[in-house]
Amino acid sequence: MKPTTHPLLPLLASVLTANAFQFPDCVNGPLAKSKACDVTGTAPERAASLVDQLTIDEKLVNLVDQALGASRLGLPKYAWWSEGLHGVAGSPGVTFNTTGYPFSYATSFANAINLGASFDDDLVYEVGTAISTEARAFANFGFGGLDYWTPNVNPYKDPRWGRGAETPGEDPLHIKGYVKAMLAGLEGNETVRKVIATCKHYAAYDLERWHGLTRYEFEAIVTLQDLSEYYLPPFQQCARDSKVGSIMCSYNALTIRDMAGGSKPDEIINLTTAQPACANTYLMTILRDHWNWTEHNNYITSDCNAILDFLPDNHNFSQTPAEAAAAAYKAGTDTVCEVSGSPLTDVVGAYNQSLLPESVIDTALRRLYEGLIRAGYLDHGRSAVAGGDGGSFSSPAYDALNWNDVNTPSTQELALRSATEGIVLLKNSGSLLPLDFSGKKVALIGHWANATGTMRGPYSGIPPFYHNPLYAAQQLNLSLSYANGPVVNASDPDTWTAPALAAAEGADVVLYFGGTDTTVASEDLDRESIAWPETQMKLISELAGLGKPLVVIQLGDQVDDSSLLNNGNVSSILWVGYPGQSGGTAVFDVLTGKKAPAGRLPVTQYPEGYVDEVPLTEMALRPFNHSSSSSSSNPEEEEVSVQGGGSLTIQTRSTPGNKTLSSPGRTYKWYSSPVLPFGYGLHYTTFNVSLSLSSNASSPSFSIPSLLAPCTATHLDLCPFSPSANSALSVSITNTGTHTSDYVAFLFLSGEFGPEPYPLKTLVSYKRVKDIKPGETVTVKDVPVSLGAISRVDGDGNTVLYPGTYRFVVDVDGSQGVQRGKEVVVELVGEEAVLDEFPQPPKE
């Protein structure tokens, strides 16, 4: 904990001069009398003035993330790369003070996948607000920048993806809700952006390094239907609806294919040639033209070294570094991230070879500096004065944030809530949990039991403390024994089994803390297996054989829990993910019943054999079958063996390793045989849940035109599903058990309307209802459902509201302890209506 007796201001003053980030001096500096510093000017005018004062040499060195500024103008260097996924994090734009307390740490909240598991958008907003408060305090004293590369909004469709823990989960509607809340917290609702958030990675990016294929060379082949329906909705929320300040383009290339490729292996028709995302003019057209992401002259940054990937060794899109740089900037990328030690982006060569016009350079720089101006970059510390576009770009409230605003008691409590709310109870045989530890000796076993840095997960800063499980148990004064455990490597000498069994044999209750960590799955590291690590499973089996109450606390990513779910000697399973600085306390709050678990799985838990059914490179969501026992005349088809025996006919693609084989489908919408489904989660209590539509008709019918007529929304997909003034969907939740508990209300839709195949079901709304007491009934009236949520996407990517029978149901099939009422059936009649006409790729 930070001391409270030190003289704060002298310490802050002493460290300020040692750090790189500085605000320009618009009072006494060289820029002071220019239009750039004129607070009566609009943001575009001020940005244009600043760029106009730069020489071409100065312009060129400010097009990359480590921008050199212009010393003659008093324009400081600026690092366009700060991180804040679940707290201010180490990055080129963020420095932690290693010489003393001021800015030596930041709050480490639970990771994004945990926040996703909470299904609590109010919590997400609070976390985003706390992150931006600390980020702004870091900036005020030179320890951080104003732009933050968060959130990661790529849908997590495959459990092997190494960066899945950075995301909220697999469902696009859920991600949109998370993104809306997180961006509101990060950027604030004032004229001045609190920080500039960056939605990443645009688009269709979810592969790191798999079977020798890397993200740097991967060509994602995607149908218009899947692009519009699955890969882009989170970015639509970012750009069109939340108007985020920045977006990051991704490493991969993208090819759009015809729908025929989804059902006929001999008829794959590419609608576009492969283009790297950061030079993909079609993606840029969707972003800036279709979604009108131009209001604040918003900017695009490349992922790091993504432009170098244009070269022959990877995408083979550009032949020289100068051509690669020109292609990126001309397509609409505004700044390029470079990694220290790698070849630099040849911006100078691109300009000198007349490949990159100065007008393109000016456009990029104006976007970048307008972004900073809207975050108060040129008005730091000045009194608020109305600007020419109706608002001030100074913020005394933000400027006043300092070290006292970092990891406060309220923020520490929020960090604990962020961990607790995301814990998911997967098994609880005989209602073992919650546990009364009185008079019991407890064994804590496993490599997560005394974890420190691994609790944070990916993209993390330095937290003020690690309250891990061992610490939390000690704080409760439990009689305990502790033994370490293995991580993954089965070839390591077994130094753990004997101590673990010894600890367990003398205990009344055994708590095993295991699972994966960032050595198993992370950036640049995809998983080959989604099974429990063999060494850990062997140890769990031996512990289970002792016949004592055994609780498995699973951290990290999802693995196949089948054997544990079926093992009668494994009493309970909790999934905890990457819980941050207070993860151990959160676990024991749930184990003891201080807080009842109510988190839900934000992803599907697949059986371990799933990895042999579909390659990570396959981008299609819907199930299909290209397998054939007959010989193929198609020279691009080949038969290969797959792990586990047998063979499948596959369709080769232009990128090595990018192959299509028969697929059982992906995500809960299309995959029918999960170990545990998306949205699964048990409780310490029981619930009766009923769904109703306030309508006089037993089987209500509504015309599609009548749904659209009263809507005043700018975009038809945002229109509410309000069949009439007197009819609305409502959910009533009654706690019929003995524990006060939160409850996440899911509303799913199914039906045979729109294009085939039909999804098994689709999430159309969700809400976490807090602290429902035993015997209490809470009613969520007017459940928010948009027309876009109940629509389907056709083969051209258009969002269409179709006539048909719509079946609404609450919660997840087979959800234990939840008694569900009947489904609500609604008939929509009349002609189909296009809610969003998706832009088509240019004809080749």
Side-chain angles (χ1 to χ4, degrees):
M1 297 294 296
K2 61 187 175 189
T4 57
T5 56
H6 63 73
L8 178 66
L9 292 180
L11 274 173
L12 292 175
S14 68
V15 297
L16 176 60
T17 57
N19 295 284
F21 175 69
Q22 295 180 0
F23 290 93
D25 184 352
C26 265
V27 176
N28 300 309
L31 286 172
K33 297 190 181 301
S34 72
K35 184 69 174 178
C37 287
D38 183 355
V39 295
T40 66
T42 67
E45 290 170 346
R46 297 174 69 182
S49 169
L50 180 57
V51 174
D52 288 347
Q53 295 178 69
L54 299 174
T55 67
I56 186 59
D57 290 336
E58 290 168 337
K59 291 176 181 179
L60 294 174
V61 298
N62 283 287
L63 284 172
V64 294
D65 68 295
Q66 294 296 313
L68 298 183
S71 57
R72 69 179 184 87
L73 295 177
L75 182 65
K77 298 177 181 179
Y78 185 80
W80 292 91
W81 182 356
S82 296
E83 297 286 358
L85 178 67
H86 57 109
V88 175
S91 46
V94 172
T95 301
F96 285 91
N97 179 19
T98 59
T99 63
Y101 272 102
F103 302 100
S104 56
Y105 51 73
T107 307
S108 178
F109 298 94
N111 226 292
I113 196 68
N114 297 67
L115 290 172
S118 76
F119 286 90
D120 184 351
D121 290 344
D122 293 335
L123 172 68
V124 173
Y125 170 77
E126 289 183 66
V127 169
T129 300
I131 292 171
S132 59
T133 292
E134 296 192 6
R136 198 75 190 206
F138 268 67
N140 288 342
F141 293 91
F143 289 94
L146 294 175
D147 72 295
Y148 278 76
W149 288 359
T150 190
N152 183 340
V153 302
N154 297 115
Y156 185 12
K157 76 173 188 294
D158 193 295
R160 289 166 288 186
W161 183 33
R163 301 186 72 174
E166 298 178 32
T167 78
E170 71 179 37
D171 180 75
L173 179 127
H174 173 219
I175 301 172
K176 289 180 70 173
Y178 175 99
V179 166
K180 181 179 180 181
M182 179 59 75
L183 292 182
L186 289 171
E187 296 200 328
N189 57 6
E190 305 296 332
T191 301
V192 183
R193 278 199 175 99
K194 201 173 178 187
V195 299
I196 306 168
T198 301
C199 288
K200 61 185 186 182
H201 312 77
Y202 188 66
Y205 164 59
D206 54 12
L207 178 144
E208 302 299 307
R209 187 178 297 272
W210 183 80
H211 286 199
L213 180 70
T214 71
R215 57 185 176 172
Y216 313 110
E217 61 189 302
F218 178 55
E219 175 193 345
I221 301 178
V222 183
T223 65
L224 280 172
Q225 188 177 46
D226 283 341
L227 185 69
S228 173
E229 177 184 78
Y230 190 73
Y231 294 105
L232 292 192
F235 292 99
Q236 179 195 66
Q237 177 65 51
C238 290
R240 190 193 73 178
D241 301 330
S242 292
K243 305 182 189 304
V244 70
S246 172
I247 284 177
M248 177 186 287
C249 53
S250 57
Y251 290 108
N252 58 283
L254 182 69
T255 293
I256 307 299
R257 71 172 180 180
D258 184 68
M259 274 296 295
S263 58
K264 300 177 182 178
D266 58 346
E267 210 173 305
I268 289 183
I269 302 171
N270 289 342
L271 300 181
T272 66
T273 56
Q275 288 183 321
C278 293
N280 195 298
T281 53
Y282 178 55
L283 284 179
M284 303 296 186
T285 296
I286 295 170
L287 185 60
R288 286 195 165 116
D289 295 343
H290 183 57
W291 292 336
N292 195 30
W293 188 62
T294 56
E295 180 179 354
H296 292 161
N297 215 10
N298 317 82
Y299 67 86
I300 297 171
T301 177
S302 82
D303 209 336
C304 296
N305 281 4
I307 309 310
L308 291 178
D309 297 339
F310 292 9
L311 299 178
D313 285 348
N314 291 309
H315 293 310
N316 196 26
F317 181 76
S318 303
Q319 297 306 300
T320 69
E323 290 177 359
Y329 290 112
K330 288 166 71 175
T333 301
D334 300 304
T335 179
V336 170
C337 174
E338 302 175 327
V339 175
S340 177
S342 300
L344 299 179
T345 309
D346 193 5
V347 183
V348 174
Y351 175 76
N352 288 340
Q353 295 170 40
S354 299
L355 301 172
L356 181 59
E358 189 168 6
S359 59
V360 173
I361 295 170
D362 288 350
T363 296
L365 290 172
R366 286 172 182 170
R367 288 171 177 159
L368 292 167
Y369 284 112
E370 182 171 336
L372 287 180
I373 289 167
R374 291 186 179 278
Y377 184 60
L378 296 180
D379 300 293
H380 179 72
R382 296 204 284 176
S383 300
V385 179
D389 50 3
S392 165
F393 300 114
S394 65
S395 176
Y398 295 162
D399 292 349
L401 295 171
N402 58 47
W403 176 235
N404 287 330
D405 299 294
V406 177
N407 204 250
T408 64
S410 62
T411 308
Q412 291 178 24
E413 175 60 28
L414 181 61
L416 177 59
R417 281 178 50 210
S418 75
T420 308
E421 286 199 22
I423 292 176
V424 185
L425 179 61
L426 302 180
K427 181 181 181 180
N428 196 23
S429 297
S431 298
L432 174 70
L433 301 181
L435 277 164
D436 181 357
F437 287 108
S438 301
K440 294 184 176 68
K441 185 171 182 180
V442 184
L444 276 67
I445 298 170
H447 72 284
W448 272 100
N450 195 25
T452 53
T454 53
M455 290 173 57
R456 300 172 301 169
Y459 281 95
S460 301
I462 300 173
F465 50 71
Y466 292 111
H467 288 176
N468 61 26
L470 184 57
Y471 167 89
Q474 292 167 339
Q475 294 302 111
L476 293 174
N477 294 315
L478 299 185
S479 173
L480 61 86
S481 56
Y482 160 71
N484 201 353
V487 182
V488 176
N489 196 343
S491 63
D492 289 344
D494 185 351
T495 59
W496 51 80
T497 299
L501 292 176
E505 284 169 353
D508 299 302
V509 178
V510 179
L511 307 178
Y512 179 80
F513 294 85
T516 66
D517 59 21
T518 53
T519 67
V520 177
S522 63
E523 185 167 0
D524 205 29
L525 178 63
D526 292 318
R527 286 193 283 173
E528 296 290 337
S529 171
I530 57 173
W532 269 89
E534 180 182 344
T535 50
Q536 292 189 46
M537 185 54 66
K538 182 176 182 296
L539 179 57
I540 293 173
S541 297
E542 296 208 34
L543 293 171
L546 298 176
K548 298 174 182 288
L550 171 62
V551 181
V552 174
I553 298 95
Q554 175 190 334
L555 292 101
D557 293 300
Q558 288 296 313
V559 290
D560 180 353
D561 284 324
S562 297
S563 61
L564 302 184
L565 294 166
N566 296 325
N567 188 332
N569 290 326
V570 175
S571 308
S572 304
I573 305 172
L574 289 174
W575 177 78
V576 181
Y578 290 100
Q581 68 185 40
S582 299
T585 304
V587 168
F588 273 90
D589 279 354
V590 170
L591 289 173
T592 61
K594 182 178 180 180
K595 180 67 176 178
R600 303 293 192 105
L601 288 182
V603 292
T604 300
Q605 188 180 110
Y606 293 88
E608 61 180 277
Y610 180 80
V611 301
D612 301 325
E613 296 185 79
V614 59
L616 185 56
T617 50
E618 177 55 58
M619 304 300 290
L621 277 296
R622 289 158 177 75
F624 56 85
N625 190 347
H626 291 174
S627 183
S628 173
S629 58
S630 61
S631 60
S632 172
S633 59
N634 190 337
E636 292 192 347
E637 287 184 354
E638 60 176 306
E639 191 174 84
V640 297
S641 297
V642 294
Q643 186 177 347
S647 63
L648 290 169
T649 301
I650 62 172
Q651 178 83 24
T652 60
R653 298 278 180 80
S654 57
T655 301
N658 187 14
K659 302 174 180 179
T660 300
L661 45 66
S662 299
S663 171
R666 295 180 181 277
T667 80
Y668 75 94
K669 291 180 68 173
W670 306 104
Y671 183 73
S672 60
S673 305
V675 175
L676 292 172
F678 168 89
Y680 185 85
L682 305 179
H683 306 86
Y684 288 165
T685 192
T686 54
F687 292 99
N688 278 350
V689 183
S690 61
L691 175 67
S692 62
L693 177 68
S694 52
S695 172
N696 295 326
S698 58
S699 297
S701 177
F702 304 99
S703 73
I704 290 174
S706 72
L707 295 176
L708 292 169
C711 179
T712 59
T714 304
H715 305 285
L716 294 179
D717 58 287
L718 298 179
C719 295
F721 174 56
S722 299
S724 70
N726 298 316
S727 60
L729 287 163
S730 297
V731 176
S732 290
I733 308 153
T734 300
N735 185 339
T736 56
T738 58
H739 291 77
T740 297
S741 177
D742 293 0
Y743 176 81
V744 176
F746 289 126
L747 184 61
F748 289 101
L749 169 67
S750 62
E752 296 183 354
F753 49 87
E756 295 186 40
Y758 306 119
L760 300 169
K761 61 181 179 180
T762 300
L763 182 69
V764 297
S765 190
Y766 64 91
K767 181 176 178 60
R768 186 169 180 132
V769 183
K770 303 291 185 67
D771 295 325
I772 307 174
K773 298 177 177 60
E776 182 182 10
T777 297
V778 176
T779 300
V780 181
K781 298 180 179 179
D782 299 332
V783 175
V785 179
S786 69
L787 293 185
I790 67 172
S791 65
R792 296 285 310 284
V793 174
D794 67 17
D796 290 327
N798 302 314
T799 301
V800 183
L801 187 61
Y802 289 97
T805 302
Y806 288 64
R807 301 180 182 277
F808 295 94
V809 66
V810 290
D811 217 305
V812 179
D813 293 341
S815 184
Q816 301 174 36
V818 177
Q819 184 68 39
R820 299 192 295 177
K822 295 180 180 180
E823 63 185 18
V824 167
V825 180
V826 173
E827 193 77 21
L828 298 190
V829 297
E831 293 188 3
E832 64 189 51
V834 176
L835 305 182
D836 182 64
E837 187 173 349
F838 198 67
Q840 300 301 292
K843 295 186 181 298
E844 293 294 315

